[in-house]
Amino acid sequence: MKKLWNKGESIDALFERFTIGKDPELDVILAPYDVIGSKAHAQMLAKVGLLSASESAQLCEQLDLIYASCQKGEFLIEPGVEDCHSQIEMLLIEQLGDVGKKIHSGRSRNDQVITALKLFTKDQLLEVVDKVQVLFELWLDKSELNSKKLMPGYTHMQVAMPSSFGLWFGAYAEALVDDLSMLRAALDITDQNPLGSAAGYGSSFELDRGYTTELMDFSSLNVNSIYAQMSRGKMEKAVAYAVASLAGTLSKYSMDVCTYNGQDYGFFTLDKQYTTGSSIMPHKLNPDGFELVRAKCNKLQSLPVEMTLILNNLTTGYHRDLQVLKESFIPAMQTIQDCLEVTIAMTKGLEVTDDLLEDSKYDLLFTVERVNELVMQGKPFRDAYQIVGKELLEGIYEASRDIKHSHLGSIGNLGTEQIRQSFEKVLSTMK
Ligand code: ARG
């Protein structure tokens, strides 16, 4: 019998395929985490007297073997088996007979799947954080390295005021501080043990939920069994918001690089190994990597909405709808990491163009400096503004290239140490 719940009745093949959905593929990823949860459950059952020490040890030994098969990439969900929870229990029954049949006392696949999802997500978030840290350091290094290299600052896509590559790279580093705060909040929400809530209404057995919390290294537990069930979806949504925030940073950065790399701007040269060519135009060095990061990260920003719409009209308690969350949530955790990794690699090879602002097309960048010069000579700001406005209308405005050096006073102040301290402060509460 391939279904834990099947009592002998036949199941329509189309219906079976439809309800199992993508679980055989996605649950292979969750399986090692289900093993960790199942081991904690078996150990706890022995502690509260529902299993003998030897029964619990036999279960743990088999679960270790299943874990090893997951690590080797050999764990499979057999055709017709619904999910990893069913597959693992069936393997235990195959190997241990009645002892295998005892592990499900006091639990349900509903709390099993949330437990596995939370353990998986904790690991994923910590890996995301490691990569965010690498990108943060890289952006800060680039910021310092390019602190004196000037670039145009834009508003409305029109040249506005002088800026620097140091300021621009530093802005993205500081954006990661806020993204990290969101990831930290997501981690706090994820790091709570739902196991023992069973189908959502607990168990009449005296389960020791504190013990499984300790065994699985969760910081705390979801106390109320109905809330523990409700945390499925709420956790994914919190993580989706954090991932979307980070994705927003990466997609904006990619759009900047793609724009500034084009010949009309010419601010960056890309490392050739991170460009692609054209089948017809021999000169092409296209920024496809940044374009794909942009598209993937734009898509990731729809994740909170997708999670919200799936969850929107569900009453308390388990619904099969929740299974569908996994279809976009699990792959998204990999996508954001791929985007971080490729952004790091491509950013290392980004070369900044020197002396950009010498070009006369950037004369207008210095109008505010001209106003400020008059202010320094004693003119009220509003009068100075009018004077420069007139100079521009009459065509007698002259951009002083010297001004930019005094201007470096403000745009040269990168606040690198302050930004680093803010980042480390958030990080220290996560690791
Ligand atoms: N594959 C299912 C899911 O992801 C596991 C839980 C099944 N529970 C149930 N009551 N049908 O939601």
Side-chain angles (χ1 to χ4, degrees):
M1 205 86 68
K2 302 268 184 175
K3 309 278 179 298
L4 295 172
W5 44 264
N6 190 257
K7 293 151 221 96
E9 54 286 81
S10 66
I11 304 158
D12 177 79
L14 167 67
F15 176 78
E16 183 184 36
R17 191 156 43 81
F18 185 70
T19 51
I20 292 178
K22 290 212 158 61
D23 266 12
E25 176 191 321
L26 294 171
D27 272 25
V28 167
I29 298 167
L30 289 184
Y33 298 99
D34 187 73
V35 171
I36 295 170
S38 294
K39 258 186 96 171
H41 187 67
Q43 285 170 279
M44 184 275 294
L45 288 180
K47 185 165 184 270
V48 303
L50 284 164
L51 285 179
S52 70
S54 136
E55 287 170 333
S56 169
Q58 289 174 58
L59 286 165
C60 288
E61 194 187 327
Q62 286 304 318
L63 286 164
D64 283 341
L65 293 175
I66 299 173
Y67 191 83
S69 80
C70 295
Q71 297 309 99
K72 282 188 251 159
E74 288 167 2
F75 177 86
L76 277 182
I77 295 170
E78 292 163 36
V81 174
E82 281 190 306
D83 47 35
C84 67
H85 323 292
S86 310
Q87 181 72 42
I88 290 169
E89 190 173 324
M90 281 173 195
L91 290 173
L92 293 175
I93 294 170
E94 244 169 61
Q95 293 302 317
L96 303 173
D98 281 354
V99 174
K101 290 183 191 165
K102 288 187 178 186
I103 195 173
H104 211 57
S105 301
R107 75 172 186 181
S108 151
R109 279 184 299 165
N110 297 353
D111 62 342
Q112 261 186 281
V113 61
I114 311 174
T115 306
L117 273 165
K118 286 190 172 176
L119 290 170
F120 160 79
T121 306
K122 264 178 73 174
D123 269 6
Q124 294 293 307
L125 283 174
L126 293 174
E127 281 182 35
V128 169
V129 167
D130 281 346
K131 292 178 177 107
V132 166
Q133 193 177 359
V134 174
L135 184 57
F136 175 79
E137 291 299 339
L138 180 60
W139 274 342
L140 268 197
D141 283 354
K142 289 257 177 198
S143 169
E144 279 173 350
L145 199 70
N146 294 293
S147 64
K148 301 257 179 310
K149 291 199 183 173
L150 299 187
M151 71 184 282
Y154 296 89
T155 66
H156 311 267
M157 294 200 77
Q158 304 211 15
V159 293
M161 288 175 70
S163 179
S164 74
F165 287 99
L167 199 65
W168 180 80
F169 278 116
Y172 281 103
E174 193 171 347
L176 289 182
V177 179
D178 286 344
D179 295 335
L180 192 67
S181 295
M182 305 266 297
L183 289 165
R184 197 196 80 139
L187 185 64
D188 284 349
I189 290 167
T190 306
D191 197 8
Q192 304 180 75
N193 178 19
L195 193 66
S197 60
Y201 306 96
S203 165
S204 54
F205 296 128
E206 282 294 329
L207 305 178
D208 187 341
R209 298 193 58 208
Y211 188 51
T212 57
T213 303
E214 225 175 89
L215 289 174
M216 290 185 284
D217 202 24
F218 277 110
S219 289
S220 63
L221 54 80
N222 297 123
V223 179
N224 180 307
S225 65
I226 297 180
Y227 180 66
Q229 176 58 53
M230 217 192 277
S231 76
R232 185 167 188 196
K234 201 167 167 70
M235 180 274 289
E236 286 91 324
K237 205 155 60 159
V239 175
Y241 276 116
V243 168
S245 177
L246 176 58
T249 303
L250 297 186
S251 71
K252 195 177 189 68
Y253 174 71
S254 300
M255 179 58 185
D256 272 358
V257 175
C258 289
T259 307
Y260 297 153
N261 168 248
Q263 288 77 5
D264 292 331
Y265 287 82
F267 298 176
F268 293 122
T269 315
L270 305 179
D271 184 336
K272 281 202 182 63
Q273 62 174 321
Y274 300 119
T275 61
T276 61
S278 150
S279 60
I280 178 170
M281 297 165 281
H283 66 281
K284 287 294 221 164
L285 293 166
N286 293 326
D288 295 31
F290 284 106
E291 289 169 334
L292 288 168
V293 169
R294 181 173 61 197
K296 283 171 191 281
C297 285
N298 283 341
K299 188 170 171 220
L300 280 175
Q301 287 173 81
S302 71
L303 196 64
V305 180
E306 206 180 314
M307 304 283 104
T308 302
L309 291 179
I310 294 169
L311 295 162
N312 220 11
N313 51 4
L314 302 183
T315 56
T316 46
Y318 178 83
H319 305 273
R320 196 67 177 265
D321 308 51
L322 297 167
Q323 178 173 292
V324 178
L325 291 171
K326 294 191 292 193
E327 291 179 14
S328 30
F329 182 74
I330 292 177
M333 298 308 290
Q334 188 57 50
T335 307
I336 189 69
Q337 290 183 60
D338 292 346
C339 289
L340 281 164
E341 273 181 39
V342 80
T343 300
I344 290 164
M346 295 186 303
T347 297
K348 282 185 186 157
L350 216 52
E351 283 291 332
V352 166
T353 310
D354 287 323
D355 300 325
L356 273 171
L357 300 199
E358 297 306 322
D359 194 312
S360 64
K361 72 180 171 192
Y362 295 127
D363 281 358
L364 293 179
L365 282 177
F366 301 96
T367 59
V368 181
E369 288 307 311
R370 170 84 185 118
V371 173
N372 290 354
E373 193 181 50
L374 295 173
V375 167
M376 293 302 283
Q377 289 164 12
K379 288 259 183 288
F381 177 86
R382 195 47 63 213
D383 294 345
Y385 175 97
Q386 288 297 334
I387 292 168
V388 178
K390 259 209 189 106
E391 287 178 2
L392 285 162
L393 277 175
E394 289 164 11
I396 57 167
Y397 161 79
E398 252 179 69
S400 165
R401 288 297 190 270
D402 287 342
I403 292 171
K404 75 182 178 201
H405 297 295
S406 64
H407 193 88
L408 268 181
S410 58
I411 59 169
N413 177 17
L414 299 175
T416 310
E417 245 348 276
Q418 235 174 310
I419 295 173
R420 181 170 277 120
Q421 275 169 21
S422 310
F423 189 86
E424 277 164 9
K425 197 170 148 205
V426 185
L427 194 64
S428 67
T429 60
M430 298 180 84
K431 288 195 165 175

